[in-house]
Amino acid sequence: MPSDKILDLVITHPIVPVFYHPDVDHAKSILQACYDGGLRVFEFTNRGDKALAVFTQLASYVKDKCPEMALGIGTILTPEDATRFIDAGAAFVVQPVITASVGDVCRERGVPWMPAGSTLNEIYQATLLGAELVKVFPGNVVGPGFIKAIKGPMPSLKLMVTGGVEPTSESLNAWFKAGVTAVGIGSQLFSGDNADPSALRDRIAALVQIVTPYIPQPA
C-alpha cells in the first residue's frame, strides 16, 4: 500500500486501535471486529516476546481477510526492530519517541514513520526529520487544550493523539474539536464488555459515527 494512501486512510478513518496480545487467534478476532466495525488502520504494538511472531501471522491474515486495512507496528525504538517488522509486513511504523535512525529506515523502505512528541519543539523537529503525521503522547498529560494551542501557530500539523483518549463521545469530541487528525485508543477500547468481538464491532461502529463529522471532505 503506497505511503500516501496510508496517510489518507488515517485521515479518513481516524480511530486507530492500539493493541497487543500474545495469542494470535485472539488478535485475529479483535482485528476482524475492528475491520467489520469500519476501521481501516490498526496499530499492533511491540510489547511482548511474541510480538514479531504474532504480527507476522496477522500481516498474512490482513492481506487475505481485510484487504483495505493498513496494519502497522507500534512501540518501535530501534532501526533493527523497524527493519524486522517492515520485513514482516508492517505498513507503517509508530514510535513513542523520536529516533532519527528509525525514520531513515522507514524512508528507505517507503513506509510512513510516525514518531511521538509531547512538546511543540519535539513535534516540529519530527516534521523536519520527515514525519508527515506526528503522534502526541501521552495525551492524558497534555490534554486537548495543548492541541488547540499548537495548531494556532502551526495549523498544517497532522497529529495523532494516543494515551488519554477514551472510547466515549465526550472524549472523542474534545480531541477532534481541538484539531487532531486522528486518535489512537488502547486498552479501554478492548476491556469489559467490549472484549467480546461482536460487542467490539458494534461499539466501534458507533464510535465511527461520532468522528465522521470531523473527517475532511474531498474538495
Side-chain angles (χ1 to χ4, degrees), residues 77-93:
L77 299 175
T78 69
E80 292 78 16
D81 277 344
T83 298
R84 279 190 281 269
F85 280 95
I86 292 171
D87 286 344
F92 59 90
V93 172

Side-chain angles (χ1 to χ4, degrees), residues 76-83 86 93-95 97-109 111-115 129:
I76 294 297
L77 299 175
T78 69
E80 292 78 16
D81 277 344
T83 298
I86 292 171
V93 172
V94 183
Q95 291 198 265
V97 292
I98 301 169
T99 308
S101 55
V102 170
D104 291 341
V105 168
C106 293
R107 185 162 47 253
E108 291 167 4
R109 300 292 295 273
V111 171
W113 173 52
M114 304 173 189
L129 290 169

Side-chain angles (χ1 to χ4, degrees), residues 20-177:
Y20 171 77
H21 199 281
D23 184 272
V24 67
D25 290 332
H26 179 68
K28 286 178 181 178
S29 69
I30 292 296
L31 192 151
Q32 187 68 58
C34 291
Y35 190 78
D36 292 343
L39 303 186
R40 292 297 179 265
V41 185
F42 193 101
E43 177 188 336
F44 191 77
T45 59
N46 179 31
R47 293 186 180 176
D49 57 6
K50 294 184 178 180
L52 182 58
V54 174
F55 182 88
T56 300
Q57 294 186 62
L58 282 181
S60 296
Y61 181 84
V62 165
K63 186 176 181 180
D64 184 41
K65 302 293 186 180
C66 308
E68 297 178 8
M69 176 75 83
L71 174 66
I73 185 67
T75 320
I76 294 297
L77 299 175
T78 69
E80 292 78 16
D81 277 344
T83 298
R84 279 190 281 269
F85 280 95
I86 292 171
D87 286 344
F92 59 90
V93 172
V94 183
Q95 291 198 265
V97 292
I98 301 169
T99 308
S101 55
V102 170
D104 291 341
V105 168
C106 293
R107 185 162 47 253
E108 291 167 4
R109 300 292 295 273
V111 171
W113 173 52
M114 304 173 189
S118 57
T119 69
L120 181 54
N121 188 58
E122 289 172 343
I123 293 167
Y124 182 60
Q125 291 303 314
T127 66
L128 293 181
L129 290 169
E132 294 187 67
L133 177 72
V134 181
K135 173 179 173 178
V136 178
F137 175 82
N140 58 313
V141 172
V142 298
F146 172 74
I147 302 297
K148 184 176 181 180
I150 66 173
K151 290 281 283 189
M154 301 184 71
S156 63
L157 283 176
K158 293 182 175 63
L159 305 172
M160 178 174 70
V161 174
T162 302
V165 181
E166 300 175 6
T168 65
S169 176
E170 181 181 12
S171 181
L172 291 174
N173 278 304
W175 286 109
F176 280 93
K177 285 179 180 178

